[in-house]
C-alpha cells in the first residue's frame, strides 16, 4: 500500500461541484480536495467573466494564404498561432468572406483572453491592440473577456500556473482529443487576489510587452542595416511575364525547361547579389552542413519541426515526444548555434538559430542544418535568408508539386554577399540584443506566474 493515495469523500461532497457525476479517482485526488479546503474565498471562473464564447464552425474550409491575401479574406486564428502570452501573425490562414458574415460571434476583440479548450489545453493568450481586426477565432479556442473583478493578466497567469493547469486537467473530457466544455471551464476555482497584487502583475506585463516590442524593433533595425548595405531596402521584384533565354544559357546548364525557373526577377536578384562591391561566396564555402544522425538510444527527444519556427522573429521552440512518435525523417541531431533553414515553402522565411542547450534535440529532415565555419556571422545569414529578396530567389529551385520544396545542394550553392566585418558585427549585436530582450520577456512571464502561485496559500500541490 506504500505510495497509494486514498481520499475518503462523503456523498454530499461527491455531488458538490460535480455536475457530470464523476466518480473516478482522478477527479477526487487529494490535491484538489485540499485546495478547496485550504484556499479561502474561492469563486468559479464564471463570476469573473463579462462575456465568453466558443464558435462551432460547420463546413468551414481553410484557404491558402496566397489566395486569402490577394482577396483580403478574413484571417482564421488557430491554437497553433498562440505562444503564451503572445499571438503569432506570421502563419495565419484565411477563410472565405462568407464566414465573416456567418459567424459574427467568432470575430476577435482587442483585450480578449483566448484559452485553448480543445487539444493540449496548454495555451492562453491576450489579443493585443494592434492585432488584425478582421480575424475569426478557431473553435479550439474559447474567447473570454473579464469583468472589473479581476485583471486579465492575473487570470492568464493563474490559468498557466500549476493550479490552473491542474484544474483544467481535472475538468477536461478525456476523449481522443482532450476538451473542456464551457460549463466546466467556468467551474475552475479562482482565488481572491488583492487589488495591490493584481496591479503589480499588470506592471510586470507592461514591462514584458515593452521588452517584446523592443526586441522586434532591434531585429527590424538589423534587417534595415543589411538591406541598406546591399541597396535592396526598397527593392520590388520585376514580374515581367516574358524572359527570352538562349538554349546554351538555360537547359544545357540547368536541365530545366519550365518557365517558372527563368522568371525575370530571379535574373534581377542574381545580378544584384553577384555584383555586390565586396564579392560573393556560396553558402557551402562559408558554413558547414550538419549531417550528424541520432542513434536513438533515448526514449524521448525534444523535436523541432518547421511549424515550430516563428516566422515573425526567427525563434524556435520544441516539443518533447517519444522515440516512437518521431517522424521517419526526424534524425538530425541539433546543437546550440546551429542554423535551421526550411527546405519546404522557403518563401515563408523559416530560418532560425538554436539558442538553447539540449543534449536530446532532434530536427525535422525538412531542414538544412548549418554550423558556423568562417568569420561570416550566423546572424547575418539568418537575416539575409529571411529577407523578401532571398525568399523570392529560393523559389527558383522549387521541385515540389503541391507545395514548394528545395534541396540541400540548392541552399549550399546559393551565393551570399561578403558583408564587411564591421557591418556584420553591428548586425549580429542587434540580433543578440533582440534575443536577450525576448528572453527577458519570457522570464518576466515565468516570474509573474510564480508570483501568482506564491500568492495562493495551499499545502504542497505537486
Amino acid at each position: 500500500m506504500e505510495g497509494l493515495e486514498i481520499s475518503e469523500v462523503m456523498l454530499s461532497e461527491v455531488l458538490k461541484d460535480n455536475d457530470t457525476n464523476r466518480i473516478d479517482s482522478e477527479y477526487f485526488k487529494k490535491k484538489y480536495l485540499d485546495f478547496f479546503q485550504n484556499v479561502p474565498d474561492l469563486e468559479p471562473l464564471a463570476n469573473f467573466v463579462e462575456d465568453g464564447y466558443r464558435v462551432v464552425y460547420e463546413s468551414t474550409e481553410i484557404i491558402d494564404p496566397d489566395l486569402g491575401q490577394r482577396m483580403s479574406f478574413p484571417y482564421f486564428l488557430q491554437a497553433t498561432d498562440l505562444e503564451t502570452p503572445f499571438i503569432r501573425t506570421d502563419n495565419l490562414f484565411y477563410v472565405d468572406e462568407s464566414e465573416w458574415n456567418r459567424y459574427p460571434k467568432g470575430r476577435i476583440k482587442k483585450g480578449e483572453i483566448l484559452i485553448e479548450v480543445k487539444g493540449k489545453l496548454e495555451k492562453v493568450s491576450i489579443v493585443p491592440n494592434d492585432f488584425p481586426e478582421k480575424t475569426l477565432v478557431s473553435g479550439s479556442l474559447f474567447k473570454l473577456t473579464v469583468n472589473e473583478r479581476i485583471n486579465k493578466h492575473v487570470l492568464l497567469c493563474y490559468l498557466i500556473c500549476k493550479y490552473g493547469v491542474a484544474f483544467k486537467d481535472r475538468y477536461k473530457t478525456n476523449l481522443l482529443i482532450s476538451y473542456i466544455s464551457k460549463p466546466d471551464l467556468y467551474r475552475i476555482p479562482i482565488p481572491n487576489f488583492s487589488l495591490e497584487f493584481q496591479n503589480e502583475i499588470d506592471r510586470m506585463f507592461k514591462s514584458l510587452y515593452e521588452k517584446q516590442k523592443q526586441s522586434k524593433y532591434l531585429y527590424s533595425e538589423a534587417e534595415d542595416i543589411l538591406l541598406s548595405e546591399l541597396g535592396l531596402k526598397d527593392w520590388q521584384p520585376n514580374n515581367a511575364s516574358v524572359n527570352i533565354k538562349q538554349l546554351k544559357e538555360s537547359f544545357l546548364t540547368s536541365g530545366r525547361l519550365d518557365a517558372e525557373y527563368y522568371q525575370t526577377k530571379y535574373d534581377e536578384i542574381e545580378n544584384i547579389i553577384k555584383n555586390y562591391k565586396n564579392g560573393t561566396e556560396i553558402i557551402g564555402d562559408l558554413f558547414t552542413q550538419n549531417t550528424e544522425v541520432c542513434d536513438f538510444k533515448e526514449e524521448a527527444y525534444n523535436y523541432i519541426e518547421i511549424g515550430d519556427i516563428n516566422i515573425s522573429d526567427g525563434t524556435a521552440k520544441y516539443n518533447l515526444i517519444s522515440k516512437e512518435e518521431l517522424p521517419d525523417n526526424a534524425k538530425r541531431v541539433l546543437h546550440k548555434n546551429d542554423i535551421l533553414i526550411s527546405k519546404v515553402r522557403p518563401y515563408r522565411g523559416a530560418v532560425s538559430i538554436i539558442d538553447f542547450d539540449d543534449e536530446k534535440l532532434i530536427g525535422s529532415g525538412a531542414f538544412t542544418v548549418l554550423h558556423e565555419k568562417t568569420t561570416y556571422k550566423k546572424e547575418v545569414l539568418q537575416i539575409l535568408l529571411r529577407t523578401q529578396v532571398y525568399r523570392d530567389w529560393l523559389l527558383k529551385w522549387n521541385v515540389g508539386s503541391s507545395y514548394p520544396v528545395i534541396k540541400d545542394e540548392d541552399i549550399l550553392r546559393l551565393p551570399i554577399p561578403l558583408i564587411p566585418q564591421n557591418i556584420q558585427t553591428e548586425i549580429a549585436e542587434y540580433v543578440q540584443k533582440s534575443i536577450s530582450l525576448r528572453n527577458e520577456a519570457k522570464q518576466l512571464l515565468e516570474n509573474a506566474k510564480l508570483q501568482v502561485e506564491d500568492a495562493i496559500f495551499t499545502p504542497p500541490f505537486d
Side-chain angles (χ1 to χ4, degrees), residues 371-437:
H371 298 306
E372 277 185 325
K373 174 182 178 183
T374 64
T375 56
Y376 205 98
K377 295 189 179 297
K378 58 186 180 295
E379 295 88 354
V380 177
L381 179 64
Q382 181 192 25
I383 290 186
L384 192 66
L385 295 182
R386 282 170 45 80
T387 63
Q388 191 61 53
V389 178
Y390 270 83
R391 285 157 59 183
D392 280 344
W393 197 11
L394 283 168
L395 281 175
K396 177 177 182 177
W397 292 278
N398 168 34
V399 295
S401 52
S402 58
Y403 51 84
V405 178
I406 56 178
K407 300 177 181 178
D408 286 331
E409 51 264 35
D410 295 323
I411 292 174
L412 294 173
R413 288 198 298 259
L414 194 66
I416 57 174
L418 295 174
I419 307 297
Q421 202 62 37
N422 64 314
I423 297 179
Q424 286 198 49
T425 299
E426 183 180 12
I427 291 171
E429 287 176 351
Y430 272 103
V431 174
Q432 289 159 9
K433 289 177 183 176
S434 173
I435 293 171
S436 178
L437 282 167

Side-chain angles (χ1 to χ4, degrees), residues 1 17 104 131 145 211 240 255 297 314 367:
M1 299 290 288
D17 187 40
F131 200 82
T145 53
K211 289 181 184 296
K297 292 181 179 179
F367 289 117

